[in-house]
Amino acid sequence: MVNHPSTALMTDQYELTMVRAALKSGIAHRTSVFELFARRLPPGRRYGVVAGVGRALEAIADFRFLEPELDFLEQAGITDPQTTEFLADYKFSGSIWGYGEGDLYFPGSPILVVQGTFAEAVVLETVLLSIYNYDSAVASAASRMTLMAEDRPCIEMGSRRTHEQAAVAAARAAYIAGFASTSNMEAGRKYGIPTSGTAAHAFTLLHDNEEDAFRSQVDTLGEDTTLLVDTFDIEEAVRAAVRITNGRLGAVRIDSGDLTATARDVRALLDELGAAKTRIIVTSDLDEWQLAALSGAPVNGYGVGTSLVTGSGAPTCSMVYKLVARSESNDPGAHLIPVAKKSMLKATVGGRKYAARRRDFKGIAEAELIGVSGTPMGGAHDRPLLRDLVIDGEIVGTEPLAVARARHEHARGELPRDGYKMSRGEPVIPTLYLDASGAVIPTPYAG
């Protein structure tokens, strides 16, 4: 029995019908290797960020077919007695390797390698893809935003712009990619992410005038609070805010208009009124390009919502989960043979992969190396990318968010200078596939 709701039906029907057919034909228990990867980055992006690893491990732990799930599948006619019996005893007993959460990925990167029986591994496809595709999309957008924000903190505040559960996942992914805090209380409770938030325009409108609203907020939250100053007249609001706190106000927030010009006017006014230490926070549908444009403005922090939780134009990473190797028979020790699709524009590269990031002597990334020989590879300056996540059914890859956050900062620091550009371009480093001799081989989606 599990302590959390089952994740087993977060799947697609065809996974279960494949298991049913494979059980009937007797090949369901052949050892198989699946890989989760993206054939390409979103158009114009130079790198992607891996996120969702911790959530995926939680989902695998809770992937059990309990009585309610089995009853539904039987009543819907999706399973027969043989399949129901198999699912009732389901527990993933294979092994999984993957990129560390917060690391970067490129076209073809084997972000996740799943090895087990066909029946055990195939049913994980949808839940793994749904987690990795969304979380990595948010983390990739967040990384670009924090890159443009430089040392100015970013607040994640997109909960009201997405599904309520996605909002929690988005806050987690954004934190991994460098966001300082979130407005989402559940993300704070569940993942220990710092939370922040003070008041909206409704609080000001609740009072007879702006000054009464400000006094109420300061009396409750203290002088270090952030006052929203653009409900009516910004200049009058700033003067009232400074007067109420004797120039000791923590911050003001601007949520509308020409943010650059307004921030400059507000900074000048604050300084003139003796509130030189009062910070300026700006919000209002920000994205990475607007953050870049605000780099020269006297702004101390940003609040980002809609663009972040929708991946800033790339709401999915288009990752796929493909069978790349299988055993020749049901014998657990049987030799694994590569398998690959040859479909037009959807061809895959067969064989289990190993991955390393080639770096120069200064630690700057030069290429994504994917070995298809079945043998781990890497040179003196190469950084191995796959880590143990599940070994023989035991989850071993759980780690604190702080580790993923630090990993992201380090991995992004390895990028060549072109990786920091917001202009559209190709992936900042090429993906190179190597055979057993170390020679580069052509692939459908390298580079």
Side-chain angles (χ1 to χ4, degrees), residues 2 27 45-46 54 57 120 137 143-144 159-160 167 213 219 251 255 273 282 287 345 392 395 407 415 447:
V2 295
I27 61 172
R45 293 282 178 93
R46 296 170 185 265
L57 294 178
E120 281 188 358
S143 179
R144 288 158 59 87
S159 295
R160 65 195 66 187
D219 288 346
D255 188 49
L273 296 174
V282 297
D287 59 25
L345 302 179
D392 297 330
I395 294 174
R407 180 183 292 116
L415 287 176

Side-chain angles (χ1 to χ4, degrees), residues 142-309:
S143 179
R144 288 158 59 87
M145 292 171 185
T146 56
L147 194 62
M148 292 300 98
E150 296 181 322
D151 60 349
R152 298 172 179 179
C154 292
I155 305 165
E156 185 282 313
M157 47 194 302
S159 295
R160 65 195 66 187
R161 301 293 189 241
T162 189
H163 184 277
E164 65 271 18
Q165 295 301 321
V168 182
R172 181 184 182 279
Y175 185 68
I176 288 170
F179 270 60
S181 60
T182 179
S183 65
N184 189 282
M185 293 293 95
E186 179 60 15
R189 182 192 70 82
K190 186 171 184 178
Y191 297 117
I193 300 170
T195 60
S196 60
T198 51
H201 295 288
F203 187 74
T204 300
L205 296 171
L206 175 67
H207 295 78
D208 291 337
N209 56 64
E210 208 160 36
E211 188 159 338
D212 286 349
F214 289 174
R215 286 189 185 280
S216 176
Q217 184 175 326
V218 170
D219 288 346
T220 303
L221 301 177
E223 293 177 340
D224 196 42
T225 190
T226 299
L227 296 178
L228 182 58
V229 295
D230 68 337
T231 305
F232 304 117
D233 183 274
I234 291 179
E235 181 177 344
E236 290 183 9
V238 171
R239 289 184 183 277
V242 173
R243 183 169 59 252
I244 289 168
T245 60
N246 292 316
R248 295 188 295 268
L249 177 63
V252 296
R253 177 161 76 95
I254 306 167
D255 188 49
S256 59
D258 184 332
L259 297 178
T260 298
T262 304
R264 287 174 179 155
D265 291 343
V266 169
R267 180 75 271 158
L269 182 57
L270 287 169
D271 292 346
E272 175 190 323
L273 296 174
K277 293 185 178 180
T278 298
R279 303 180 305 279
I280 297 175
I281 309 299
V282 297
T283 55
S284 186
D285 290 328
L286 298 177
D287 59 25
E288 58 266 50
W289 291 279
Q290 289 170 301
L291 296 185
L294 285 163
S295 62
V299 172
N300 301 100
Y302 307 102
V304 189
T306 303
S307 184
L308 175 66
V309 300

